[in-house]
Every structure is written in C-alpha cells, then in structure tokens.
Amino acid sequence: MKLLQTLNIFDAKNASPEALMAEYVIGQNKRVFNQLYDKLADDLFHYLVSLSDHQLASDIAQKTWLKVYEKPQRYQASAGFKAWLFRVGRNALIDEFRKQNRLVSVFEDDNFAADRLASEISTLEYEDMHQAFDAALANMPIAQREAFCLQQECFSLDQIAEITHCPKETVKTRIRYARELLKRKLEKYHE
C-alpha cells in the first residue's frame, strides 16, 4: 500500500473498507481514517440505533470509532472490516448494557416475546406502513431485530454469526422469526 500511495496510485475514495483499514494500520494516516469513517459511520450508527436509543447509539458509535482510531492493530481481517467494526460496536453496546444493568437476556432468543408483543401491537392503529414497520421492528425481540438488521446491511449468515457470537443456525432461526413477525404485522398492507 505504501508503494502505491507513494506512486499516487492508491485511490482511497474508491478503495474498499478493508483496503482503507489496511492502509490506516500501516500509516495511521488521518485522511485515510476519515475516508473509512465517511464510508461506514452511518451504517454503524443505524445498526446500533436499531438495538438501543439514539443517544446511546451515538455514544457507542463514537467509542467504537475511537477504538479503531487509537488501536488499529486490533483489526482482524478474517471477516471483513465492516463485520469486525459492527462486532466491536456490538461488544461496546453489551458492555454499556451491563454497566446499566439492562442486560437481562437482551441478546438471547425469546421465541415467546414475539407472540406476547403481537397482541400489543395489533391493538394500535398506524397511519401508514412505515410507522407500522418501525413499530413492529422496535417491538421485536432484540436478538431477532439484530439478526434481521444485520442481514439488511448485506452481511452473510456467517458474518452475522461472527458478529453476534452465535451459531449460524441460530442466526437463521432469528431471521426467520423476525420475518414471520413482520409478515404478520404488515399483512394488511400487502396488496
């Protein structure tokens, strides 16, 4: 990378997150870090806010990027940078939940929670499908919501399993339950 950068061939704007991170690990160039941040900051924030509230997601995203900035050598290229970044963010979120004593089986599958919440959601009237979708997603058990949101971020099942530290089959089950819940909640909008 240094040779390519020296020859001015390295095109950071079109480089993959993995290439940018490899370049940052080597030279810790702030410009490269900023480009990496610009590419993935919104994705990380949206993932974290799907699991928490806006303020906590913002704080955790900031802590996550600070870890990347200060300790780039901890990057493990095995699953790709975005998957690694999300895992670092998830771990920081879990640590924060533990500090706040909010981690009471938050990331464990709760097959019955979807049915329990289904009756609560169905009693409410929503003006449009987007509000109904947001409400269904927000009331989904967090493990299912997390797997579903990661899949929407285009992560493979293997990458989701690595990020969430659970078996691939568990990821499949969580995604299936999430889709079933969304299908039930949004079926009146299906034409």
Side-chain angles (χ1 to χ4, degrees):
M1 290 281 180
K2 281 212 178 265
L3 176 62
L4 294 176
Q5 191 176 27
T6 302
L7 296 173
N8 207 13
I9 296 173
F10 181 71
D11 182 12
K13 288 186 181 185
N14 296 321
S16 70
E18 291 78 15
L20 286 170
M21 187 59 185
E23 177 67 17
Y24 182 67
V25 168
I26 293 169
Q28 295 190 7
N29 182 321
K30 189 175 180 179
R31 179 187 52 79
V32 174
F33 176 83
N34 289 339
Q35 289 174 340
L36 188 61
Y37 178 86
D38 289 344
K39 280 186 183 251
L40 294 174
D42 288 342
D43 292 346
L44 176 65
F45 175 76
H46 288 123
Y47 166 66
L48 293 169
V49 83
S50 75
L51 301 175
S52 63
D53 60 61
H54 190 276
Q55 183 60 45
L56 183 58
S58 180
D59 292 346
I60 297 301
Q62 186 175 13
K63 287 178 184 178
T64 302
W65 283 108
L66 187 60
K67 286 179 185 179
V68 173
Y69 185 79
E70 291 178 341
K71 299 178 182 177
Q73 65 279 6
R74 290 191 175 178
Y75 168 56
Q76 301 165 357
S78 62
F81 178 74
K82 188 174 178 180
W84 178 79
L85 178 70
F86 277 44
R87 187 176 59 231
V88 171
R90 180 184 191 270
N91 290 344
L93 182 63
I94 289 171
D95 289 346
E96 187 61 32
F97 282 155
R98 284 186 182 127
K99 285 180 193 173
Q100 298 175 1
N101 292 323
R102 288 175 49 189
L103 190 70
V104 180
S105 68
V106 151
F107 287 97
E108 293 178 10
D109 232 352
D110 184 0
N111 297 333
F112 301 106
D115 293 330
R116 184 180 71 245
L117 292 171
S119 62
E120 295 172 19
I121 296 170
S122 65
T123 61
L124 301 173
E125 290 297 323
Y126 297 102
E127 292 180 12
D128 67 62
M129 185 174 72
H130 295 291
Q131 288 176 322
F133 177 83
D134 290 344
L137 190 62
N139 288 299
M140 186 180 291
I142 196 163
Q144 293 171 18
R145 181 175 50 202
E146 177 184 39
F148 178 79
C149 290
L150 286 170
Q151 187 183 47
Q152 298 308 301
E153 289 286 338
C154 299
F155 285 111
S156 70
L157 293 174
D158 290 329
Q159 289 173 318
I160 296 170
E162 185 172 330
I163 291 168
T164 61
H165 305 286
C166 67
K168 184 177 172 180
E169 292 304 315
T170 301
V171 170
K172 285 182 181 179
T173 301
R174 289 176 178 175
I175 291 171
R176 186 179 81 240
Y177 285 141
R179 287 182 177 180
E180 288 171 0
L181 176 66
L182 289 173
K183 185 177 178 181
R184 282 196 317 265
K185 295 294 134 210
L186 302 175
E187 69 185 342
K188 72 179 182 181
Y189 297 101
H190 188 269
E191 296 173 344

